[in-house]
Amino acid sequence: FYYPWGVCVDSNDNILVCNYFGARIQIFEPNGKYMTKFYIDKPSSIAIDFKTQNVIVCDSNNKVLIF
């Protein structure tokens, strides 16, 4: 990681990490095994809406992004 900032866990216990200066969200299985990533400019916080399973990310420009 290059400056990890925010972390959350989804309903499958996968771990989502904001990599601020790496400009991406990285996703890991519960055992820590890398799964995937997607790019976002300087993500600063992250949450999961358990009702909809949406990933909600705030970036350094105070934009809220919903996936």
Side-chain angles (χ1 to χ4, degrees):
F1 295 104
Y2 185 48
Y3 209 76
W5 197 290
V7 177
C8 72
V9 177
D10 69 13
S11 61
N12 295 316
D13 292 331
N14 295 315
I15 304 159
L16 292 83
V17 181
C18 291
N19 190 335
Y20 186 79
F21 287 121
R24 63 184 171 258
I25 303 294
Q26 293 174 273
I27 304 173
F28 300 88
E29 294 177 356
N31 63 8
K33 182 180 176 187
Y34 173 80
M35 291 176 64
T36 191
K37 66 183 172 232
F38 55 98
Y39 291 95
I40 297 176
D41 187 35
K42 296 182 180 174
S44 58
S45 59
I46 189 167
I48 301 287
D49 181 335
F50 283 101
K51 195 176 218 180
T52 64
Q53 293 302 304
N54 288 333
V55 177
I56 304 159
V57 179
C58 185
D59 70 10
S60 62
N61 296 315
N62 294 319
K63 285 193 302 187
V64 175
L65 308 163
I66 301 173
F67 302 92

